[in-house]
Amino acid sequence: MTTHTIRVEPLGVDVPCREDQTVLDACLREGIWLPHACTHGTCGTCKAQILDGEVDLGDASPYALLESERDEGAALICVAQPRSDVVVEGEVDMDEGVGVHPVRDFRGRVDTLEEVARDVRRLVLVLDEPLSFNPGQYVLLNVPGGHQRPYSIASTPTDGNRIELHLKRSENGVATERWVFSTLSAGDEVTLSGPYGRFSFRPMRTQPILLLGSGTGLAPLKSMVKHIAENGGEHQVTLYHGVSTKADLYDCEFFEGLAASNDWFTYRPALSQEEWEGRSGRVPALLAEDYPRAGGHVAYICGSPAMVQDTMKALMKARLFPRDIYREDFFDSADRAAGANVVRSPLIRR
Ligand SMILES: Cc1cc2nc3c(=O)[nH]c(=O)nc-3n(C[C@H](O)[C@H](O)[C@H](O)COP(=O)(O)OP(=O)(O)OC[C@H]3O[C@@H](n4cnc5c(N)ncnc54)[C@H](O)[C@@H]3O)c2cc1C
Ligand code: FES
């Protein structure tokens, strides 16, 4: 396989990249961090200018990389592969206190696979080597048939050998319905790579934290909560977890226990389609009730693109600046086909 050289500007660093490898993958494996979120050509976060050389633009969504942008030499580097030596210009600045962990391949075994809520499974994998990551990041699971799917890590970096994932069943989904919810069993071997993503806990930001998740969007937020707990609870944290009905709620005992014994943590589960002893309503509406003014907080949102978008709007209406909001959209193949919710504003962070 032919290998080309990727020069990353403004760093002036050279990285080897095979023709069957993406520019982003080559950089991340060499410890050169460039902005990215979905890693499947859908969100547009990894858009970069190709200053010199040729790339195959790969499976870039036409909604995330417009024809005019292609003509001007832009590429989505999470799907673009080199066809010559290439010079790429990326936004290489990292926030203070956020570690760079080179992407590596891992082999693991299924330790636990359990149904924790309706159509939600907790998958615990024991890896052959510890995975270093920032709380909030994700792995790419290799799925039978040559597919890869991103899943956020719900455990913390202190236990890098043993990672916890939360998977929601997708109708006819290749990773979920046809694999994790059908043939995968305890003891099976699984391969993956990681860590990926810019959605990670910013330890240097000392403001009170709002963690806002829907469904399995709880996973990276759980990693952040556990990480903060392991480090002595030095941040004030309020976690909202929105689901449809009580049957969709999970890990309540864990969060209730943590809230009962720690002043720094508040847990607010909510059901959008059922009345119960707790709060009912969607997370954006509850936020608007609880925080008519949210300025002075830092927020992390994770879940379906629609929920993330609505929550983002609610926070901005409550006067929280985009620079204080981090988001992870769980884009899937259907979102990709529809070109949904591609974020174009440079002010909005992923
Ligand atoms: C950064 C990131 C992190 C994520 N983390 C998590 C997580 O922690 N937990 C979690 O549960 N999910 C997470 N997701 C979503 C996850 O990666 C998968 O997209 C999801 O599990 C579905 O995968 P699948 O292979 O089962 O379904 P897919 O086969 O990808 O299909 C998904 C849905 O789209 C439909 N579909 C497929 N192709 C098309 C098409 N061409 N047109 C229209 N519809 C189509 C399918 O029928 C199905 O209903 C994350 C996504 C991202 C981007
Ligand atoms: S990270 Fe490349 S398009 Fe989303």
Side-chain angles (χ1 to χ4, degrees):
M1 179 64 63
T2 312
T3 297
H4 299 291
T5 299
I6 310 290
R7 168 151 297 197
V8 184
E9 297 291 7
L11 295 176
V13 174
D14 288 344
V15 169
C17 184
R18 298 185 317 272
E19 283 208 340
D20 67 347
Q21 192 177 15
T22 67
V23 172
L24 179 69
D25 187 70
C27 292
L28 295 180
R29 284 174 190 271
E30 290 291 318
I32 310 291
W33 197 89
L34 291 170
H36 63 283
C38 71
T39 52
H40 51 60
T42 305
C43 71
T45 306
C46 67
K47 197 176 299 166
Q49 205 60 31
I50 305 298
L51 301 178
D52 197 20
E54 264 184 56
V55 293
D56 178 333
L57 291 177
D59 205 6
S61 154
Y63 304 97
L65 187 66
L66 303 178
E67 207 56 54
S68 55
E69 294 171 321
R70 293 167 196 242
D71 293 344
E72 286 163 10
L76 300 183
I77 57 169
C78 72
V79 287
Q81 298 175 335
R83 292 297 172 260
S84 70
D85 289 350
V86 163
V87 182
V88 63
E89 186 177 40
E91 183 202 314
V92 291
D93 291 344
M94 286 289 284
D95 284 3
E96 203 185 341
V98 177
V100 177
H101 306 287
V103 163
R104 290 190 297 133
D105 296 315
F106 295 86
R107 211 164 265 286
R109 288 212 174 269
V110 177
D111 179 73
T112 314
L113 182 57
E114 54 173 347
E115 201 96 12
V116 289
R118 179 175 52 187
D119 289 337
V120 176
R121 288 193 171 183
R122 186 195 319 278
L123 173 59
V124 179
L125 300 171
V126 175
L127 305 181
D128 53 357
E129 288 177 77
L131 168 68
S132 301
F133 63 98
N134 300 317
Q137 288 192 293
Y138 68 88
V139 292
L140 281 177
L141 262 193
N142 295 319
V143 177
H147 307 280
Q148 286 189 321
R149 291 288 184 269
Y151 291 102
S152 302
I153 308 167
S155 43
T156 62
T158 45
D159 204 4
N161 269 104
R162 197 181 155 81
I163 62 163
E164 173 182 331
L165 310 176
H166 303 165
L167 291 92
K168 165 99 181 142
R169 183 204 300 263
S170 242
E171 201 182 325
N172 212 18
V174 298
T176 55
E177 190 158 302
R178 293 202 236 145
W179 183 47
V180 172
F181 285 79
S182 57
T183 58
L184 191 71
S185 312
D188 285 357
E189 189 176 280
V190 171
T191 58
L192 56 89
S193 58
Y196 295 93
R198 85 190 294 185
F199 184 73
S200 65
F201 177 56
R202 303 312 204 257
M204 307 308 277
R205 307 206 62 176
T206 51
Q207 303 100 305
I209 296 171
L210 292 171
L211 300 180
L212 309 158
S214 68
T216 48
L218 181 68
L221 308 182
K222 181 176 179 186
S223 175
M224 292 183 196
V225 170
K226 288 185 77 176
H227 175 79
I228 293 166
E230 286 170 2
N231 287 284
E234 286 175 351
H235 296 75
Q236 278 299 321
V237 180
T238 301
L239 168 69
Y240 285 78
H241 185 207
V243 294
S244 300
T245 69
K246 214 166 175 179
D248 304 306
L249 210 50
Y250 66 96
D251 282 349
C252 309
E253 276 179 25
F254 169 76
F255 291 115
E256 279 163 2
L258 197 65
S261 50
N262 292 283
D263 288 344
W264 58 267
F265 181 62
T266 306
Y267 173 52
R268 295 191 174 149
L271 309 183
S272 62
Q273 289 172 23
E274 207 171 78
E275 294 297 324
W276 65 315
E277 62 276 18
R279 303 205 44 207
S280 294
R282 293 185 67 240
V283 169
L286 298 181
L287 257 183
E289 267 174 47
D290 297 351
Y291 296 91
R293 291 280 178 275
H297 287 80
V298 58
Y300 298 82
I301 318 170
C302 184
S304 71
M307 175 271 178
V308 173
Q309 196 63 21
D310 291 350
T311 308
M312 183 87 207
K313 281 186 197 154
L315 287 172
M316 287 169 70
K317 210 168 163 194
R319 307 275 168 86
L320 193 60
F321 292 113
R323 64 164 184 262
D324 295 322
I325 307 174
Y326 300 91
R327 61 187 285 169
E328 186 82 289
D329 297 67
F330 280 0
F331 288 113
D332 69 7
S333 307
D335 299 313
R336 191 190 147 72
N341 288 293
V342 172
V343 170
R344 297 208 162 273
S345 167
L347 291 174
I348 295 177
R349 318 176 78 146
R350 287 193 185 277

